[in-house]
Amino acid sequence: MKVQITETVLRDANQSLMATRLPYADYEKILPVMDKAGYYSVECWGGATFDSCLRYLNEDPWERLRNIRKNMPNTKLQMLLRGQNLLGYKHYHDDVVEKFVELSIKNGIDIIRIFDALNDFRNLGTALDATMKYATPNTVASGCISYTQSPVHTVEKYVEMCKELKNMGFQTICLKDMAGTMSPYEAEGLIKGIKDAVGDMPVILHTHCTTGMAYMTVTKAIESGVDVVDAATSCFSNGTSQPATETIFYALQQYGIESGLDEKVINEVNDFFKPVKQKYIDNKTINPKSLGTDSQALVYKVPGGMLSNMIANLTDMHAMDKFDEALAEIPAVRKDLGYPPLVTPLSQMVGNQAVTNVLMGERYKQISKEVKNYFKGEYGIAPAPVSKELQDKILGEGGEPVDCRIEDSKRTGEEFRKAKEDLGDLAKTEEDLMSYICFPDQARKFLESRKAKEENIASYTIEAID
Ligand code: CO
């Protein structure tokens, strides 16, 4: 028996504990060491890393990926992709999704873990097809289910979802428990049920320590036949992050289960990241709140990233006194939206709307554009019926959501032409155009600063020659 580990320090641990502010330069040196650890994969890209590179770190996300690839030639590099949302917060057209996947593989990604916030699997199809189309021998298309609890989310429903993912052509299945609310008992029922239904496909468990449940849940998942568990090097583990790699390693050892990990190397990785973490605690990028255990999340179902973002936003607005109230508003907004799983972009939508409802002192006095679009049907089908009252308020009396996606998805190349026109000589590669299509303002800012830097170097060179 073998249970392998996906190391998340570069992506999800970074995202959950420090709002994805870890620059590439901080971990470049350890990559060749990580390459020898024996992980199933290293999750290093996708999720919020792309946006954060451009928005906060003045880094080219594509260059980051190429650099990681160069320094970790032997490890499977993994990214998280939000299906038709890619790495942004809205639906992109099919041609954009296809190109994005093509470029991700070309720049070094092996495993693409694809999910849709609403588990509306129509939103996974384009990304899956593109993954197969541009696949190398190392490419794996991993179908991912956003796990949540609600009156409509039963074990039977999840097993059906897994069968559907298998039929679609995914090669592995990941259960993604963003909020860390999956209990050991639920993990057992789910993993056994899924293994019975699609036994020949590797099943992966992704959870967070937010509620303190994760180690128990992982243990039960291991006993129930899970193949891969996501974990973070111990100094970047726990709190809103994943359970600790080394801890799971030692537990597996006692079970007599092979993990493939090299004990010395995983400890070296942790030693490297200790001062990195300390630096971000000292400069307050890591909020001590995100390092603790919050069992209230078992009630509120709030994923780590969402919690740390909400804290950051409320702190910015000097409204941390409204924290508990905003937290309590989340389940109410979620019910109105038909119990969507709280994962990006739904977690932001629900979180921001809950904060707005509380700060305005009146529910839905102000409704975000995203929530309006959600009710219009732009994100897919809600897991359960939405609030009729709110739907009428947004769509007008008797208004019905429409499926915007299918009609829109026919056009080809339009956005690339527009991006080329907008950027002129700022864009040097297809990757530049893609960054701009995904995050226009942030990408432009980055490309302009890159150009300025290059011009500085150029003029310096000329002076030096003279
Ligand atoms: Co996660």
Side-chain angles (χ1 to χ4, degrees):
M1 195 182 169
K2 192 167 188 180
V3 175
Q4 290 182 282
I5 298 293
T6 289
E7 172 60 54
T8 68
V9 62
L10 305 184
R11 205 287 297 178
D12 203 353
N14 166 18
Q15 187 169 328
S16 299
L17 295 184
M18 51 183 291
T20 335
R21 301 292 202 279
L22 190 61
Y24 171 75
D26 276 18
Y27 59 77
E28 180 177 37
K29 280 201 178 71
I30 195 66
L31 295 178
V33 176
M34 290 178 76
D35 199 33
K36 295 188 210 119
Y39 305 121
Y40 169 78
S41 64
V42 168
E43 191 194 47
C44 60
W45 210 65
T49 60
F50 195 98
D51 183 5
S52 179
C53 274
L54 294 168
R55 193 184 297 263
Y56 303 111
L57 301 172
N58 197 29
E59 263 187 56
D60 182 346
W62 302 99
E63 189 184 5
R64 172 187 283 205
L65 174 56
R66 287 191 297 274
N67 283 331
I68 297 173
R69 175 80 285 169
K70 197 172 70 198
N71 285 290
M72 279 205 280
N74 303 306
T75 302
K76 278 211 155 85
L77 301 186
Q78 182 174 315
M79 74 174 291
L80 182 66
L81 190 76
R82 296 177 203 126
Q84 207 70 23
N85 276 189
L86 295 177
L87 306 179
Y89 307 103
K90 59 164 195 176
H91 271 338
Y92 296 96
H93 298 288
D94 287 345
D95 58 328
V96 176
V97 173
E98 183 175 333
K99 186 52 113 179
F100 195 95
V101 169
E102 181 193 343
L103 293 177
S104 301
I105 294 173
K106 189 177 141 199
N107 282 275
I109 285 294
D110 298 305
I111 301 176
I112 307 191
R113 180 184 282 176
I114 310 169
F115 77 100
D116 176 70
L118 294 172
N119 294 319
D120 183 341
F121 291 163
R122 296 172 310 164
N123 291 330
L124 309 186
T126 310
L128 170 65
D129 291 347
T131 306
M132 300 325 269
K133 183 172 169 184
Y134 296 101
T136 72
N138 284 330
T139 303
V140 178
S142 185
C144 183
I145 291 171
S146 307
Y147 174 79
T148 190
Q149 291 127 323
S150 85
V152 299
H153 291 89
T154 59
V155 169
E156 292 70 34
K157 181 164 175 157
Y158 284 118
V159 169
E160 280 314 306
M161 288 183 194
C162 290
K163 287 184 185 162
E164 201 181 330
L165 290 176
K166 184 183 180 176
N167 289 337
M168 288 172 78
F170 282 104
Q171 295 153 297
T172 64
I173 284 177
C174 172
L175 273 176
K176 178 178 167 62
D177 175 24
M178 312 72 70
T181 57
M182 187 190 293
S183 67
Y185 177 79
E186 287 165 320
E188 182 179 25
L190 278 167
I191 307 262
K192 282 186 174 164
I194 294 169
K195 276 293 188 183
D196 279 348
V198 293
D200 50 334
M201 282 174 90
V203 175
I204 300 154
L205 177 65
H206 174 87
T207 186
H208 288 253
C209 295
T210 322
T211 69
M213 202 74 102
Y215 290 95
M216 292 181 278
T217 304
V218 165
T219 307
K220 263 295 174 208
I222 290 168
E223 290 175 352
S224 309
V226 79
D227 297 281
V228 180
V229 173
D230 285 8
T233 193
S234 58
C235 67
F236 267 84
S237 71
N238 297 338
T240 56
S241 176
Q242 269 74 56
T245 304
E246 303 94 293
T247 309
I248 297 177
F249 166 80
Y250 288 113
L252 284 171
Q253 227 179 16
Q254 290 189 351
Y255 267 107
I257 298 172
E258 175 64 27
S259 68
L261 291 176
D262 184 315
E263 180 179 358
K264 213 175 126 250
V265 174
I266 58 174
N267 282 313
E268 190 180 339
V269 170
N270 187 47
D271 286 339
F272 174 87
F273 278 104
K274 279 179 195 165
V276 176
K277 176 193 183 186
Q278 193 56 48
K279 179 167 96 179
Y280 290 104
I281 288 179
D282 292 346
N283 76 11
K284 297 191 166 46
T285 304
I286 295 179
N287 186 316
K289 256 196 158 136
S290 65
L291 298 173
T293 301
D294 183 3
S295 51
Q296 281 198 308
L298 293 171
V299 179
Y300 297 122
K301 322 281 190 232
V302 180
M306 183 174 172
L307 205 60
S308 61
N309 263 328
M310 204 167 94
I311 293 167
N313 288 342
L314 287 173
T315 307
D316 276 356
M317 290 185 279
H318 303 287
M320 263 309 275
D321 57 317
K322 295 272 197 271
F323 178 69
D324 291 336
E325 214 181 317
L327 206 52
E329 174 64 6
I330 287 172
V333 172
R334 184 170 176 240
K335 181 165 186 273
D336 291 339
L337 267 61
Y339 297 108
L342 291 181
V343 62
T344 305
L346 268 307
S347 50
Q348 282 79 359
M349 280 160 57
V350 171
N352 292 343
Q353 191 60 54
V355 168
T356 307
N357 285 356
V358 166
L359 292 182
M360 299 294 283
E362 184 189 325
R363 304 191 72 215
Y364 305 110
K365 188 174 182 184
Q366 197 178 301
I367 301 172
S368 73
K369 192 177 89 214
E370 289 78 13
V371 169
K372 284 180 182 164
N373 290 340
Y374 175 85
F375 275 83
K376 286 177 192 160
E378 287 189 12
Y379 292 86
I381 300 166
V386 298
S387 150
K388 185 78 181 66
E389 196 189 330
L390 191 52
Q391 180 171 307
D392 285 349
K393 187 170 178 177
I394 292 168
L395 301 178
E397 196 83 34
E400 289 286 333
V402 290
D403 191 346
C404 306
R405 197 182 106 59
I406 290 158
E407 205 177 316
D408 274 0
S409 64
K410 286 182 188 145
R411 6 167 283 168
T412 296
E414 205 174 293
E415 271 156 292
F416 295 97
R417 283 189 291 278
K418 190 178 170 296
K420 227 179 232 173
E421 213 177 280
D422 286 358
L423 290 174
D425 70 341
L426 281 177
K428 295 199 180 342
T429 59
E430 280 188 315
E431 284 82 353
D432 290 343
L433 296 176
M434 186 54 80
S435 299
Y436 180 75
I437 290 168
C438 293
F439 296 97
D441 299 343
Q442 292 73 26
R444 177 180 284 281
K445 199 181 77 191
F446 167 77
L447 293 171
E448 277 169 356
S449 105
R450 184 179 72 182
K451 190 178 176 205
K453 223 187 281 171
E454 283 165 1
E455 279 167 358
N456 270 341
I457 293 168
S459 62
Y460 175 79
T461 310
I462 291 162
E463 275 168 28
I465 292 165
D466 284 348

